[in-house]
Amino acid sequence: FPNPTKGMVQWSGLPEGETVNIQVFNPLGQIQMDKVTTDKYLDLNHLPQGLYFVKIFSAAHKVLFTGSISLLK
């Protein structure tokens, strides 16, 4: 995915076709997005510019990814 991004991010390395839960948090730890999907794209355009933290979980609640994204507008 591009990081920083202008709104659209793409994940690589996730199991093909697997359902994942993507959570996006602001720096205060507040959930800004909680999405269950099989898609490898995530649209952050509705969020204001800033730094966000991302966690991706498998359907079995195993953490697949944690990281940060800088959203620039």
Side-chain angles (χ1 to χ4, degrees):
F1 59 78
N3 194 8
T5 183
K6 292 188 178 182
M8 290 297 292
V9 293
Q10 177 182 358
W11 308 102
S12 61
L14 295 179
E16 192 67 36
E18 182 176 331
T19 300
V20 295
N21 182 353
I22 301 174
Q23 294 181 334
V24 180
F25 301 87
N26 67 15
L28 299 175
Q30 300 164 324
I31 293 180
Q32 302 299 298
M33 178 184 289
D34 191 354
K35 179 178 181 179
V36 176
T37 185
T38 58
D39 197 0
K40 291 190 176 191
Y41 294 91
L42 185 63
D43 184 358
L44 301 175
N45 282 305
H46 66 284
L47 296 174
Q49 178 172 306
L51 178 66
Y52 294 91
F53 300 95
V54 178
K55 289 184 181 179
I56 301 178
F57 300 90
S58 70
H61 306 288
K62 177 183 174 190
V63 176
L64 301 175
F65 175 83
T66 59
S68 62
I69 295 177
S70 294
L71 177 61
L72 304 176
K73 297 214 172 177

